Amino acid sequence: MGGALPQLLGFCFLAFLRLAGFVAVDAVGAPPPAGGSEGTAVVDGTTPIAVTDDDFICATLDWWPPEKCDYGTCSWGLASLLNLWVGGRYHLAAAMLSLVKGSDVCHDLSNKVLLNAVKEFSPLKLRLGGSLQDKVIYGVDTQQPCTPFVKNTSEMFGFTQGCLPMQRWDELNDFFKKAGAVIIFGLNALNGRVRLRDGSLGGPWNSSNAESFIRYTVNKGYTIHGWELGNELSGSGVGAKIGADQYAEDAISLKKIIDNIYQDFTDKPLVLAPGGFFDASWFSEFIEKTKPDSLDVITHHIYNLGAGVDEHLVDRILDPSYLDREVSTFRNLQGILQSAGTSTTAWVGEAGGAYNSGHHLVTDSFVFSFWFLDQLGMSSTYNTKSYCRQSLVGGNYGLLNRTTFQPNPDYYSALLWHRLMGSKVLSAKFTGTESIRAYAHCARESQGITLLLINLSGNTTSQAFVTTASNYTIGLKHHIPRTRFNHITRLRKTATFMREEYHLTAKDGNLHSQVMLLNGNILSLDSEGNIPTFEPMELDASLPITVTPFSIVFVHIPHFDAPACR
């Protein structure tokens, strides 16, 4: 009887797995294969643990002029909201600068590559803002000169006040309409402030210029998804800071302006703030004083890897314990929102990983997809509704090359996420090694789930089995050995259930490569500037997923038993 009982349990378990829509499963208590490891992705598809926006992926466009330099490198060129070329017209100062320096050609917002890159997301959220947004005035008053930013080291952020001409705003909106982009505009929150004894800025926000700009935008028929107040002025601030009490009053004022101007609109734009770094006490007070419904979205920024010049960026990107440090930000912010009983939701409003424009061949290369996709997975787990990557183009962390608009690896990572990961977030964990990061969502516009596996190890290939949380618990309870599970897998090989896999690796195994491979094939634009199609590999769903060293795998499993996804 002692030998028959495990066998009986094994066959009973097999029957249960078939009924549950089992995919492939790991066992407990057996050594890993030579030269590799085995592990289990345990996915609980019973109910969602969080829900994101359908257009979760977001990217930023910034204000930095070509003279913006960090550590002796000027990485912005003509990537600003003010100097991306539009339809044959561009600012003379920017054009002359490009001719003198010989470093950049003028960018064209009607460029097919740029247009296609944005349109592929259908839609892509674009957050317009950055450090200089609190020094931007809007040229709605034709009696005042509308001059560009001028470099001045004595000024905050090294530049004078700049102006957005309305002709330029018209050109940008023409591009946004063609690209089908969803726009969030960051407003100048420093107008009217006075400096207080503690160094912060006080006094109410002077909203007159912003209000005129919003009215102009509405009168022109431009669609804005949200208006965000200020950039990095919360907590200790960056360059300047405003107390939470005053900031809350200003956000309420913006809400009133929006409600008034858009009073005849069925759908009003969102009110977002503060676009700063998470500070628990500041954010708590701000949320408390804007509840229940004066603030739609609270936005925070993430640059958790250190300065762009730091020599240890790659070490941190590949360190699971370092990546896990950011969990506290997402968890604590959600705790504050839940405790406050507010309708406000959370976004990551700007995230470039490494501050001061990133680091060439790190934040614009293959290795950065480990950080970026882990951030998308982690943030969505904690009910973050949207995640805005710094930047679409510009600096050393652009999704697109700033001179050619050719996609960098993270563009393809973002687009794969957008196409495969639905809005319902599922609980997922990986057992067997800490080097594998696992995230799961209901599949986007398809049946089943999509599983994301990120292998931070450069030495180990993992054979990943996938199972439901309930099946895994039963397997543990009955101590079914791995050999028994392998026998079950062999019996399942005649099944017709298939899955789709998308394996991302670096060209020639070089983590600093700016060329990404999908299932061994180079991802690149065709001669017409079109984004390549993503062709998956189809495999028997009963087989383990092979996750090679330093690789990323999206796996669509249509027959996974997930009631949350029905």
Side-chain angles (χ1 to χ4, degrees):
M1 184 64 180
L5 181 58
Q7 184 178 17
L8 178 61
L9 287 172
F11 281 108
C12 290
F13 190 44
L14 171 59
F16 176 81
L17 296 179
R18 283 178 171 166
L19 290 173
F22 174 75
V23 179
V25 71
D26 181 33
V28 181
S37 67
E38 288 189 2
T40 307
V42 183
V43 180
D44 188 347
T46 308
T47 58
I49 59 171
V51 179
T52 70
D53 286 349
D54 287 334
D55 48 357
F56 174 68
I57 298 291
C58 168
T60 68
L61 286 171
D62 214 307
W63 295 100
W64 289 119
E67 299 90 345
K68 161 66 172 172
C69 305
D70 300 282
Y71 319 115
T73 300
C74 307
S75 60
W76 286 88
L78 302 179
S80 165
L81 284 161
L82 292 176
N83 58 33
L84 279 167
W85 190 31
V86 183
R89 299 186 300 277
Y90 57 92
H91 293 285
L92 179 61
M96 294 302 295
L97 183 68
S98 70
L99 292 173
V100 171
K101 291 190 173 183
S103 59
D104 283 288
V105 296
C106 294
H107 284 166
D108 185 353
L109 281 178
S110 64
N111 180 285
K112 187 175 181 180
V113 175
L114 176 62
L115 193 63
N116 287 344
V118 177
K119 288 175 70 174
E120 280 294 318
F121 283 84
S122 299
L124 177 66
K125 279 177 178 161
L126 289 177
R127 179 249 184 183
L128 316 183
S131 297
L132 293 182
Q133 81 177 54
D134 293 307
K135 306 192 77 171
V136 177
I137 59 172
Y138 316 112
V140 289
D141 184 352
T142 56
Q143 297 181 0
Q144 292 186 3
C146 193
T147 56
F149 294 107
V150 176
K151 189 172 181 61
N152 185 333
T153 55
S154 65
E155 294 270 355
M156 184 174 73
F157 302 124
F159 290 91
T160 63
Q161 177 180 274
C163 178
L164 172 62
M166 290 304 94
Q167 178 185 351
R168 179 61 179 175
W169 184 230
D170 296 340
E171 293 168 345
L172 287 167
N173 276 278
D174 182 58
F175 169 75
F176 299 148
K177 184 177 180 179
K178 290 178 181 176
V182 173
I183 303 303
I184 295 90
F185 190 94
L187 295 165
N188 180 343
L190 290 186
N191 281 340
R193 308 293 185 183
V194 294
R195 191 165 296 278
L196 305 179
R197 291 182 179 180
D198 65 357
S200 66
L201 296 178
W205 173 49
N206 183 342
S207 61
S208 58
N209 185 231
E211 184 172 354
S212 296
F213 175 57
I214 295 171
R215 289 189 182 279
Y216 176 91
T217 300
V218 172
N219 290 338
K220 294 288 285 190
Y222 302 147
T223 301
I224 303 297
H225 184 64
W227 297 96
E228 184 177 29
L229 183 62
N231 183 84
E232 297 178 356
L233 301 172
S234 58
S236 58
V238 178
K241 62 181 180 180
I242 300 172
D245 182 68
Q246 180 60 60
Y247 216 128
E249 290 184 18
D250 301 329
I252 293 170
S253 295
L254 176 58
K255 174 69 171 175
K256 291 178 180 177
I257 291 170
I258 297 300
D259 286 344
N260 180 37
I261 294 177
Y262 289 87
Q263 60 182 316
D264 296 328
F265 288 67
T266 303
D267 296 320
K268 294 181 174 62
L270 301 173
V271 173
L272 306 89
F277 294 100
F278 179 69
D279 178 300
S281 60
W282 195 100
F283 272 55
S284 294
E285 182 180 356
F286 183 62
I287 291 169
E288 187 67 28
K289 292 182 176 179
T290 54
K291 72 175 191 182
D293 55 8
S294 292
L295 183 70
D296 297 303
V297 179
I298 190 159
T299 49
H300 65 107
H301 294 180
I302 296 177
Y303 288 87
N304 61 327
L305 296 174
V309 74
D310 198 299
E311 297 179 355
H312 302 287
L313 294 177
V314 173
D315 295 334
R316 291 170 186 157
I317 291 168
L318 299 176
D319 182 352
S321 62
Y322 192 91
L323 296 177
D324 283 339
R325 295 181 187 180
E326 200 61 29
V327 167
S328 61
T329 296
F330 297 117
R331 179 192 295 128
N332 292 341
L333 179 52
Q334 282 305 312
I336 292 170
L337 291 172
Q338 290 170 8
S339 298
T342 176
S343 60
T344 302
T345 60
W347 290 16
V348 173
E350 180 183 316
Y355 57 84
N356 290 342
S357 302
H359 189 114
H360 181 45
L361 298 183
V362 176
T363 54
D364 56 2
S365 70
F366 178 82
V367 72
F368 208 51
S369 279
F370 293 112
W371 176 85
F372 183 37
L373 287 171
D374 189 65
Q375 278 281 299
L376 296 181
M378 184 185 297
S379 63
S380 63
T381 299
Y382 288 94
N383 219 36
T384 301
K385 300 303 182 184
S386 286
Y387 191 106
C388 300
R389 166 64 180 267
Q390 174 82 338
S391 62
L392 176 64
V393 57
N396 289 314
Y397 33 41
L399 296 178
L400 306 175
N401 182 285
R402 69 180 166 89
T403 59
T404 66
F405 299 136
Q406 293 281 330
N408 285 324
D410 280 0
Y411 173 85
Y412 294 120
S413 294
L415 187 55
L416 266 171
W417 176 288
H418 179 73
R419 290 183 179 177
L420 298 173
M421 306 289 271
S423 60
K424 293 181 180 179
V425 187
L426 306 175
S427 173
K429 63 180 180 179
F430 193 85
T431 66
T433 173
E434 292 183 354
S435 295
I436 299 286
R437 317 281 282 184
Y439 299 100
H441 288 221
C442 292
R444 185 181 180 92
E445 298 179 358
S446 183
Q447 295 181 336
I449 68 167
T450 300
L451 175 68
L452 170 62
L453 298 174
I454 303 170
N455 191 355
L456 301 177
S457 171
N459 303 313
T460 304
T461 295
S462 289
Q463 299 296 322
F465 295 82
V466 187
T467 187
T468 63
S470 58
N471 287 353
Y472 186 73
T473 301
I474 292 173
L476 289 174
K477 181 178 179 180
H478 293 290
H479 305 287
I480 298 176
R482 175 167 280 133
T483 54
R484 187 79 211 128
F485 277 69
N486 289 342
H487 175 61
I488 292 171
T489 299
R490 286 195 296 272
L491 290 176
R492 295 280 290 154
K493 279 193 175 183
T494 58
T496 57
F497 293 153
M498 304 293 286
R499 65 169 183 260
E500 297 174 332
E501 295 184 3
Y502 303 78
H503 292 254
L504 301 177
T505 53
K507 184 181 180 184
D508 300 324
N510 178 11
L511 290 181
H512 299 281
S513 174
Q514 292 185 290
V515 178
M516 177 179 271
L517 307 182
L518 171 62
N519 297 329
N521 300 310
I522 292 175
L523 287 171
S524 61
L525 305 181
D526 65 17
S527 59
E528 299 296 320
N530 295 311
I531 304 299
T533 57
F534 297 147
E535 296 294 339
M537 297 191 305
E538 291 193 5
L539 288 90
D540 187 326
S542 68
L543 299 176
I545 302 162
T546 300
V547 189
T548 57
F550 287 150
S551 72
I552 297 163
V553 189
F554 285 90
V555 187
H556 174 217
I557 310 172
H559 297 286
F560 189 93
D561 184 43
C565 306
R566 293 172 187 165

